């Protein structure tokens, strides 16, 4: 799968699934724009992508800040030689928890929606002219939490991801008229930095929740993303792809 001469923008590329996606696109010849707030971790991903000979633009930005997003797009477009971007991967996300009766429930909700949903809408709005010009595509990294709540305390996260899925389907219809595809990838538990902080015991608990008795590595999600971004998936738009080791199966 070659992405030579393609420009790919990945948000949340400093860690986990986003870092794996950026590295895989770089391996396949794409020029990658990697976005995140943690400069040290972004630099590591930049070096990994460059080892594969890719052109890399590293952008420090907070996707919840409109000024950062506007600036980021301006720099990205100039860097690409005004050709713009071909593939947009909205991956940055947080999974902050609260129960609905908690005092801080609304603060958590605002932060999660700002990161997981609002930022995606705004960045997509800014990127659409370039994606249209290039007949590109968008992949939004959602979660199986959009289909079912899997644990307590995730009301904000589940709402954000359900919103993301339906936003993706709605704009898939709009953008089909412009030759732009939009899909989501909905992982179950994946071993990432975000997840690692919960500890090995909790990770094993999540592994036991899956039908296959395992949790995924970020590369497995990246492989699916690259397929969907490629011409092999030219018939696919408005779809959500679950990669969850059978977690939803086991729940039903
Ligand atoms: N891991 C899982 O089990 C799992 C399962 C289902 C879905 N997902 C989804 O997969 C995506 C990636 O998650 P992950 O597990 O790889 O998490 P992770 O290792 O914690 O990475 C999250 C990424 O998002 C970035 N990010 C968060 N808030 C940001 C902000 N305000 N501005 C810019 N970047 C921001 C972080 O970058 P900085 O810290 O550098 O800002 C980091 O690169 C998320 O959307 C998550 O909901 C993960």
């Amino acid at each position: 799968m070659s992405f030579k001469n393609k420009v790919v923008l990945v948000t949340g590329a400093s860690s986990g699934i986003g870092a794996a996606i950026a590295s895989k696109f770089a391996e396949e010849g794409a020029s990658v724009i990697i976005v995140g707030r943690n400069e040290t971790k972004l630099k590591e991903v930049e070096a990994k992508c460059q080892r594969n000979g890719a052109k890399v633009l590293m952008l420090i930005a907070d996707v919840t800040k409109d000024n950062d997003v506007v600036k980021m797009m301006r720099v990205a477009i100039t860097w690409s030689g005004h050709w713009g971007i071909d593939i947009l991967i909205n991956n940055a996300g947080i999974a902050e928890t609260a129960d609905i009766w908690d005092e801080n429930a609304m603060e958590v909700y605002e932060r999660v929606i700002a990161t997981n949903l609002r930022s995606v809408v705004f960045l997509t709005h800014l990127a659409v002219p370039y994606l249209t010009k290039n007949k590109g595509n968008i992949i939004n990294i959602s979660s199986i939490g959009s289909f079912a709540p899997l644990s307590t305390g995730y009301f904000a996260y589940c709402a954000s991801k359900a919103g993301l899925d339906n936003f993706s389907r709605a704009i898939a219809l709009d953008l089909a008229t412009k030759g732009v595809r939009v899909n989501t990838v909905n992982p179950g538990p994946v071993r990432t930095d975000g997840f690692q902080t919960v500890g090995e015991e909790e990770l094993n608990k999540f592994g036991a929740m899956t039908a296959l008795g395992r949790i995924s590595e970020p590369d497995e999600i990246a492989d699916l993303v690259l397929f969907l971004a490629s011409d092999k998936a030219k018939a696919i738009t408005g779809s959500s792809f679950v990669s969850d080791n059978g977690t939803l199966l086991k729940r039903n």
Side-chain angles (χ1 to χ4, degrees), residues 12 14-15 17 37-38 62-63 91 142 157 161 188 190 192 194-195:
S14 60
S15 163
I17 294 170
R37 295 164 301 180
N38 186 320
D62 181 335
V63 295
N91 163 80
S142 182
Y157 184 76
K161 296 299 190 181
V190 182
T192 62
F195 222 127

Side-chain angles (χ1 to χ4, degrees), residues 10-13 35 63 89-94 115-116 119-120 141 161:
V10 185
T11 67
V35 179
V63 295
I89 311 291
N90 287 304
N91 163 80
I94 55 170
T115 311
N116 296 5
S119 77
V120 176
I141 307 303
K161 296 299 190 181

Side-chain angles (χ1 to χ4, degrees), residues 128 131-132 135-138 167-183 234-239:
V128 152
L131 293 167
T132 301
K135 302 272 180 273
N137 70 82
I138 303 171
F167 164 71
S168 305
R169 283 188 283 271
I171 62 163
L173 182 61
D174 294 348
L175 289 171
T177 59
K178 298 178 185 291
V180 175
R181 299 184 296 110
V182 186
N183 293 291
K234 58 173 172 276
I236 302 176
T237 195
S239 294

Side-chain angles (χ1 to χ4, degrees), residues 203-242:
L203 277 174
N204 291 337
K205 215 169 78 187
F206 276 102
M209 280 167 69
T210 73
L212 293 175
R214 67 185 290 278
I215 63 173
S216 286
E217 299 300 325
D219 273 357
E220 297 167 33
I221 306 304
D223 284 335
L224 179 54
V225 167
L226 262 74
F227 168 74
L228 287 171
S230 78
D231 278 349
K232 287 183 193 293
K234 58 173 172 276
I236 302 176
T237 195
S239 294
S240 293
F241 285 80
V242 170

Side-chain angles (χ1 to χ4, degrees), residues 11-236:
T11 67
S14 60
S15 163
I17 294 170
I21 293 170
S23 301
K24 286 237 180 220
F25 272 116
E27 265 173 45
E28 299 298 334
S31 298
V32 289
I33 301 166
I34 55 174
V35 179
R37 295 164 301 180
N38 186 320
E39 189 170 356
T40 310
K41 286 169 77 179
L42 265 185
K43 276 191 170 150
E44 285 169 24
V45 178
E46 179 188 39
K48 194 169 175 201
C49 293
Q50 283 170 337
R51 277 200 294 277
N52 292 315
K55 280 200 275 177
V56 187
L57 173 65
M58 185 182 101
L59 292 175
I60 310 293
D62 181 335
V63 295
T64 67
K65 294 188 177 148
D66 284 1
N67 285 346
D68 276 19
V69 175
V70 169
K71 208 166 106 192
M72 170 181 119
M73 273 305 286
R74 214 174 18 235
V75 176
I77 298 309
T78 306
W79 180 79
S80 71
H82 298 278
W83 182 247
I85 58 175
D86 298 276
I87 299 164
L88 173 62
I89 311 291
N90 287 304
N91 163 80
I94 55 170
E96 203 178 335
T97 55
D99 286 313
I100 191 66
W101 53 81
D102 286 347
E103 207 173 312
N104 69 342
M106 290 313 293
E107 287 156 38
V108 170
Y109 175 77
E110 301 290 357
R111 277 196 292 273
V112 171
I113 294 289
T115 311
N116 296 5
L117 184 57
R118 189 188 180 281
S119 77
V120 176
V121 175
F122 188 46
L123 182 53
T124 304
H125 168 69
L126 296 180
V128 152
Y130 306 100
L131 293 167
T132 301
K133 188 169 73 165
N134 296 337
K135 302 272 180 273
N137 70 82
I138 303 171
I139 296 166
N140 292 327
I141 307 303
S142 182
S143 162
I144 52 170
S146 70
F147 301 115
L150 298 169
S151 188
T152 55
Y154 283 91
F155 80 88
Y157 184 76
C158 291
S160 74
K161 296 299 190 181
L164 182 62
D165 280 11
N166 224 22
F167 164 71
S168 305
R169 283 188 283 271
I171 62 163
L173 182 61
D174 294 348
L175 289 171
T177 59
K178 298 178 185 291
V180 175
R181 299 184 296 110
V182 186
N183 293 291
T184 75
V185 168
N186 300 58
V190 182
R191 191 186 303 275
T192 62
D193 288 9
F195 222 127
Q196 214 69 35
T197 53
V198 302
E200 204 54 38
E201 199 180 317
E202 195 73 3
L203 277 174
N204 291 337
K205 215 169 78 187
F206 276 102
M209 280 167 69
T210 73
L212 293 175
R214 67 185 290 278
I215 63 173
S216 286
E217 299 300 325
D219 273 357
E220 297 167 33
I221 306 304
D223 284 335
L224 179 54
V225 167
L226 262 74
F227 168 74
L228 287 171
S230 78
D231 278 349
K232 287 183 193 293
K234 58 173 172 276
I236 302 176

